[in-house]
């Protein structure tokens, strides 16, 4: 399995770095972004209800009704992921300045071969950005599939 690599998150951060609070913040911001994207379902519900009218206490599809496009419905629902992306990018710089703390270990890190310094500063943030993008794409296609299942074919734009 691939998941055995993620059992020790400390290896994605600078050595000795107390990553637990940062890890919790990333999880919280990811949940906030995914949670607020669920507002899409309220907009989809409203769009579907506008396609119908009531005649004699029965719900009837309007003949000339056209639903809003999927892109119109999904617009703005991803804005709550922006704080997560900004936080992850900011943490790259914070990880770098971590080496300037009490021990001044930046001098040791600069002497190490290759891109060890860059890797230790950016690895966790890049991993977080990739996981967020993957979940974003999965939600996008899930929402798109639900859109085409719920909107009647006659009403598709």
């Amino acid at each position: 399995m691939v998941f055995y690599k993620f059992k020790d998150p400390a290896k994605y951060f600078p050595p000795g770095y107390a990553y637990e609070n940062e890890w919790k913040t990333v999880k919280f911001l990811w949940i906030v972004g995914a949670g607020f994207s669920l507002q899409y379902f309220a907009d989809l519900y409203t769009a579907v209800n506008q396609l119908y009218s009531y005649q004699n206490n029965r719900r009837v599809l309007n003949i000339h009704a056209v639903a809003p496009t999927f892109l119109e419905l999904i617009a703005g629902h991803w804005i709550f992921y922006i704080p997560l992306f900004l936080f992850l990018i900011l943490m790259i710089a914070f990880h770098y300045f971590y080496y300037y703390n009490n021990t001044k270990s930046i001098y040791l890190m600069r002497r190490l071969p290759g891109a060890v310094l860059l890797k230790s500063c950016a690895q966790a943030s890049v991993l977080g950005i990739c996981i967020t993008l993957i979940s974003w794409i999965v939600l996008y296609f899930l929402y798109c599939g639900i859109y085409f299942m719920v909107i009647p074919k006659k009403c598709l734009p």
Side-chain angles (χ1 to χ4, degrees), residues 28-70:
F28 173 75
L29 289 174
W30 183 84
I31 290 170
V32 166
F36 277 108
S37 75
L38 293 175
Q39 184 184 2
Y40 164 76
F41 290 110
D43 293 344
L44 181 63
Y45 178 77
T46 303
V48 169
N49 279 340
Q50 290 176 350
L51 300 175
Y52 292 91
S53 63
Y54 287 93
Q55 297 174 354
N56 298 329
N57 293 331
R58 295 182 71 190
R59 193 170 142 181
V60 179
L61 182 65
N62 291 336
I63 297 171
H64 300 293
V66 177
T69 65
F70 172 70

Side-chain angles (χ1 to χ4, degrees), residues 2 20-21 27 62 66 68 80-81 98 116 118 128 143 146 157:
V2 177
E20 291 85 9
N21 286 337
K27 288 178 187 176
N62 291 336
V66 177
F80 293 101
Y81 278 105
Y98 167 77
V116 175
L118 177 63
Y143 292 172
I146 291 171

Side-chain angles (χ1 to χ4, degrees), residues 93-113:
F94 188 77
H95 293 162
Y96 180 77
F97 289 117
Y98 167 77
Y99 289 114
Y100 283 97
N101 277 347
N102 299 335
T103 61
K104 303 289 186 202
S105 57
I106 188 67
Y107 301 113
L108 172 67
M109 292 302 292
R110 284 185 180 164
R111 289 187 292 174
L112 292 175

